[in-house]
Amino acid sequence: MNIQDKTMVEAVNLALHHAMGADERVVCLGEDIGVNGGVFRATVDLQQRFGEQRVMDTPLAETLIAGSAIGMAATGLRPVMEIQFMGFIFPAFEQLITHAARLRNRTRGRMQCPLVVRAPFGGGIHAPEHHSESTEALLAHIPGIRVVIPSSPRRAYGLLLSAIDDPDPVVFLEPKRLYRIQKQPLADDGERLPLDTCFTLRQGSDITLISWGASVRETLLAADRLQEQNISAEVIDVATVSPIDIETLCQSVARTGRCLIVHEACRSGGIGADIAAQLSEQVFDCLQAPIQRVTGFDTPMPYFRQEQWYLADPEDIVHAAVSVVHYQ
């Protein structure tokens, strides 16, 4: 087996090559994904290998991309559409909410919508306005749509293959801050990773740190620093933020008795708030301290000179975790 070190964006590209090579029903469409290989090169060489009939450059029209992909999915194909940046996805919401999310329910199961929506998201690359959104909670609130967020090259490869296999629409959000920050050994073996499942990245006994997407990196760094203070932190990557694998989270928090949730998106009405509410409902008797959150702010992502003040760093997480552990 040929194993090579891959970045996350290379892992996404590898998964797309694998899926398209294995199943001729898989097609890709989006802005600049063909000739140019995508704005981040996630689709590089796909059109050269599979042709213009399966890797389609589209106009700058997200509603058209989503509507076309839904039509393809409803008639037997497995489209993977790319939204160039998450901040551009809003024109496609009408198609995703009104049609993609409802097709199975509307037809009482007679029709499916095996559609994957890929979108780079989040801040940290000094991008202009509308290029750094982290609005996963908006999508997670839509019944009928699954929302998946990888946090490493291996999980990007395995989760994207599972998303393409899924018979229902999956929004696959790729933290672009992680696209090229890390390499992992990766074999193009087609191994899928399970959707709707959290991944425990680090065992611990004093506090549970819950995160997803790019914030997982800072959370793991914080766990290392907490260990230097003799605080043992368990780190869980939620990975699928809708539906949430709440059972795994409850088991961890019931064991540690303390919980800190870390995410990049704004604080109010977010997935962190929902996780905190569910944990309070299900393992309240086990909690030894109030559940805390380290999040972004209820503002648009600032321009690059102030971006660092919006994003939580390991020190922010360590400070909050210590306060939870020493709560009395």
Side-chain angles (χ1 to χ4, degrees):
M1 182 70 66
N2 183 22
I3 299 177
Q4 296 182 342
D5 287 343
K6 295 289 185 183
T7 63
M8 178 181 283
V9 73
E10 290 170 338
V12 168
N13 181 258
L14 194 65
L16 291 172
H17 273 275
H18 186 97
M20 295 192 74
D23 187 346
E24 63 181 12
R25 297 174 300 169
V26 179
V27 298
C28 293
L29 65 161
E31 299 159 2
D32 296 326
I33 69 162
V35 174
N36 291 331
V39 67
F40 290 102
R41 318 302 289 165
T43 55
V44 70
D45 291 336
L46 284 174
Q47 191 177 74
Q48 289 83 346
R49 178 178 173 188
F50 298 104
E52 297 180 359
Q53 296 296 312
R54 295 185 62 194
V55 183
M56 292 161 274
D57 280 316
T58 68
L60 301 179
E62 284 74 16
T63 303
L64 175 148
I65 298 169
S68 300
I70 293 166
M72 293 175 185
T75 52
L77 297 178
R78 289 186 172 273
V80 181
M81 57 173 273
E82 178 178 298
I83 297 293
Q84 209 165 59
F85 291 88
M86 191 179 189
F88 303 168
I89 201 170
F90 304 110
F93 263 38
E94 197 277 331
Q95 291 290 337
L96 297 177
I97 296 173
T98 306
H99 301 294
R102 295 171 178 262
L103 195 58
R104 177 185 289 277
N105 184 269
R106 177 178 292 152
T107 63
R108 300 298 184 264
R110 287 182 288 106
M111 296 181 70
Q112 301 173 338
C113 189
L115 162 68
V116 175
V117 182
R118 291 185 42 252
F121 89 119
I125 65 165
H126 295 177
E129 188 180 13
H130 295 304
H131 290 65
S132 301
E133 270 74 359
S134 185
T135 51
E136 61 268 30
L138 292 175
L139 293 154
H141 192 67
I142 304 168
I145 288 182
R146 180 175 274 103
V147 182
V148 178
I149 304 177
S151 64
S152 73
R154 287 180 191 150
R155 281 188 288 285
Y157 178 83
L159 290 172
L160 181 53
L161 288 176
S162 293
I164 294 171
D165 290 342
D166 198 275
D168 294 308
V170 178
V171 175
F172 194 82
L173 300 176
E174 300 163 6
K176 56 183 179 292
R177 182 153 55 96
L178 302 184
Y179 263 162
R180 292 179 172 84
I181 204 169
Q182 174 192 20
K183 283 192 172 185
Q184 284 183 330
L186 186 62
D188 186 18
D189 55 7
E191 182 179 354
R192 273 66 170 168
L193 291 176
L195 305 177
D196 310 345
T197 301
C198 293
F199 297 91
T200 300
L201 306 182
R202 179 185 177 122
Q203 301 285 340
S205 57
D206 294 328
I207 185 171
T208 300
L209 306 181
I210 297 171
S211 190
W212 56 90
S215 295
V216 170
R217 180 172 179 271
E218 285 79 28
T219 304
L220 285 168
L221 292 171
D224 289 338
R225 299 184 188 181
L226 288 168
Q227 190 63 52
E228 296 171 358
Q229 303 181 38
N230 295 318
I231 295 174
S232 173
E234 184 147 301
V235 178
I236 298 180
D237 175 7
V238 177
T240 300
V241 299
S242 179
I244 294 170
D245 173 16
I246 196 65
E247 183 176 350
T248 297
L249 302 180
C250 284
Q251 289 173 355
S252 176
V253 175
R255 189 173 60 256
T256 64
R258 296 176 175 87
C259 178
L260 177 69
I261 302 165
V262 183
H263 63 72
E264 184 175 316
C266 63
R267 186 177 183 84
S268 300
I271 292 166
D274 184 67
I275 290 174
Q278 292 197 58
L279 291 172
S280 296
E281 291 168 351
Q282 299 189 38
V283 293
F284 179 78
D285 291 344
C286 303
L287 290 173
Q288 301 179 48
I291 298 169
Q292 297 291 324
R293 289 173 287 160
V294 174
T295 71
F297 298 90
D298 293 346
T299 66
M301 175 68 75
Y303 291 120
F304 69 90
R305 288 184 178 176
Q306 294 182 317
E307 199 175 45
Q308 61 179 316
W309 304 112
Y310 183 98
L311 299 171
D313 61 24
E315 289 304 316
D316 298 326
I317 301 168
V318 168
H319 179 76
V322 169
S323 71
V324 174
V325 170
H326 293 303
Y327 175 84
Q328 291 184 336

